[in-house]
Structures are given as structure tokens and as C-alpha cells.
Amino acid sequence: MIAALNQLVDLLEEHLTEEFDVNAAARAVGTTEYHLRRMFSSLAGMPLSEYVRRRRMTVAAADIVRGEDDLLSIAVRHGYGSTEAFGRAFRAVHGASPGDVRRDGGPLRTQPQLRFRLTVEGIIPMHTRIVDRPTFRLVGHAARVPLIHHGINPHIQQHIAGLPPQEHLRLKALSDTEPAGLLQVSDDVEAEATEGSELTYLHGVAVSRDTPVPDDLDAIEVPAGQWAVFRTAGPHPQALQTAWAATATEWFPSNPWRLRPGPSVVAILDRAEDFSTATCELWLPIEPA
């Protein structure tokens, strides 16, 4: 995975002023666009699209400072149809207009070319199992919420708090397959998992494909496939979020698997009464790399 990401960065540099085909690049480095975008954003700390934008504006700034071409020619070279659109993108990255930079030589916020390197980590073993599951369904109560990477998501909290206590008992009674118990399901997450982007959150349970589902519940159809199941324990939700990040930085680069599109699922196996600590299982859909 580290080698694939570095090949991607090299391909981007070769085609920085062109429309970049991420799907073709993913095939060229032997993976999928979905997995490549997820791993890039997790390891680089920014979406792939944002990195491309910053690199383009870094190179464009050099063209502007040199002063050899007019602004329209530079805008068109970097994929913009007008100086206005180019100027907006340029200011969003550098905090100054192209005209200001041409006159004053700055200020500039340059984006260096990324280079991914393998470091010695993984001192703490990750408790993982690979599960092959037939088609099943996730059923419960769904809502659209913004993605928050760190800390408690208040939108999810509000969604769960709005359900009456008896509804949790009804959902538990429906559960008849793995993952067992009440589940926290994230679906329709964009490939780059950008902070603040919307996802579908479902508070519910897993049921077999043929289990009757009440009409008042939302359902997510989950196709057959393999899952990586990570067990975590400790302060909640910090231990779970740390493990989630470690899947990208440690587990996937070290194992012959990649993410496939599909929901991610958290099962709460045990917890303190105030939810300050918890033992969880994180289910991620995977396929052979």
C-alpha cells in the first residue's frame, strides 16, 4: 500500500495540469479507487482531491511569480476556464490573489510533494479476525449526519436519544445474526471520508436475509463478503477511534486486504454504565488486495 500511494503521487505530478483519472491510476497501482482514496485521506490527513488542488496551486504560484505568462494562460494551463474561477481557487489555498502574488511575490502557502514511508509501529497487537458472511440486512432507525473523526458525534447522540427506551428492546429482539446486539452503522460514507461530509447513520441490528422486518424500520441490504473484525477496549469513544485510525496506518499496509464499498459497523459488547469505557467490535468490509 505504501508503494501504491507513492506511485499515485508520482502519477499526479506527471499529470498535474490535466484532468486526473483516479480510477485508472488505482488500476495502474493494483488496487481500487475506493480503497486508494480512503487510505490516502487516512494517512495524508487530507482528501486526495484537496492534495491535488494544493499541488496545482503551488505550481501555479511559481508560474505567476515568474511572470512570463498572463493570468488567463496560467488559469487555462491549470484546468480553469476563467481568471475568476482560478483566482477563487488560488486565494482559497494561498490566502492572496494571483495579482497580489505577482506584485509582491507572496504570501504563499506551498504544498510539498508527499512521500509515504513505512515506520516501525504496531507495538500493540491488533486483535483481529476475518469473517465470511452471507447476505444479511441491517435494520433500525436511520438519519443523515455529518462525519466527525474525533470525540462524540452530538448529531448521532441526539438521534439515539430521540428513540424511546422500549424501541431499543424491540430492536434487540429482532437481532438474529452477527454482528450481534445493538449496532452503530455508518453507510454512504464518501470515499475520502472528509470531516463534515454527510453519511447515513443507522441505530439498529443485523438480521438474516429472510427475517421479516417491520415496515416502520429502515433497512440496508448487505451483500455477501468478507469482513475484518477489530476488537477494542478502553475509554469510549477514544479507543474505538484510535483503532479505526490504526486500520489505515498499520493493519491494511501490513495485510493482503483492502476495503470494499459497504457499511462499517460497531458492535458494543460491554460498557460502563456511564459509557466512559467500552469493549467494541469494529466490522469493516474487505476483499483480497
Side-chain angles (χ1 to χ4, degrees), residues 9-276:
V9 170
D10 290 339
L11 286 170
L12 280 168
E13 290 299 313
E14 292 173 13
H15 303 281
L16 205 55
T17 59
E18 306 167 20
E19 188 67 31
F20 190 72
D21 188 340
V22 181
N23 189 36
R27 292 196 304 270
V29 299
T31 188
T32 65
E33 179 179 352
Y34 181 84
H35 184 69
L36 195 64
R37 286 185 182 274
R38 290 293 293 269
M39 291 300 101
F40 186 98
S41 61
S42 296
L43 295 173
M46 73 180 89
L48 177 59
S49 56
E50 176 64 15
Y51 173 72
V52 172
R53 186 171 71 99
R54 292 184 187 182
R55 281 297 299 152
R56 281 178 175 164
M57 290 300 104
T58 295
V59 175
D63 289 345
I64 289 169
V65 171
R66 277 195 294 267
E68 297 173 359
D69 298 310
D70 60 77
L71 292 182
L72 180 58
S73 298
I74 295 172
V76 171
R77 183 184 309 147
H78 292 281
Y80 293 86
S82 68
T83 54
E84 290 77 12
F86 174 73
R88 287 193 295 271
F90 190 91
R91 183 180 287 277
V93 171
H94 296 292
S97 71
D100 292 339
V101 169
R102 171 154 286 182
R103 183 185 65 247
D104 303 328
L108 294 173
R109 299 171 186 162
T110 59
Q111 172 62 58
Q113 183 178 339
L114 286 180
R115 186 56 52 183
F116 295 90
R117 292 186 175 87
L118 184 64
T119 59
V120 179
E121 295 180 345
I123 303 301
I124 301 174
M126 298 186 72
H127 301 285
T128 315
R129 58 190 173 105
I130 306 299
V131 178
D132 204 339
R133 296 285 291 113
T135 301
F136 65 98
R137 282 185 289 179
L138 295 162
V139 300
H141 297 277
R144 295 290 288 173
V145 300
L147 175 62
I148 295 176
H149 289 302
H150 303 289
I152 293 172
N153 189 319
H155 307 278
I156 291 177
Q157 271 193 318
Q158 183 179 7
H159 174 61
I160 297 173
L163 300 175
Q166 61 269 26
E167 188 60 16
H168 301 290
L169 298 175
R170 180 172 76 119
L171 289 172
K172 283 183 180 180
L174 283 173
S175 175
D176 64 5
T177 190
E178 278 200 301
L182 282 175
L183 308 174
Q184 301 171 354
V185 180
S186 298
D187 196 23
D188 298 325
V189 180
E190 66 173 32
E192 295 179 331
T194 308
E195 178 101 6
S197 61
E198 281 202 333
L199 60 91
T200 297
Y201 174 82
L202 182 136
H203 184 73
V205 295
V207 300
S208 302
R209 178 173 53 184
D210 300 325
T211 299
V213 177
D215 292 337
D216 63 331
L217 295 181
D218 301 302
I220 298 172
E221 302 292 331
V222 184
Q226 292 172 305
W227 298 75
V229 184
F230 303 89
R231 190 182 182 95
T232 71
H236 188 77
Q238 293 86 348
L240 176 62
Q241 291 170 339
T242 298
W244 205 313
T247 65
T249 58
E250 298 178 27
W251 195 82
F252 280 108
S254 308
N255 289 275
W257 301 95
R258 66 188 178 202
L259 282 168
R260 59 182 170 88
S264 57
V265 180
V266 174
I268 307 296
L269 306 181
D270 189 28
R271 66 179 180 87
E273 187 173 344
D274 62 356
F275 231 134
S276 59

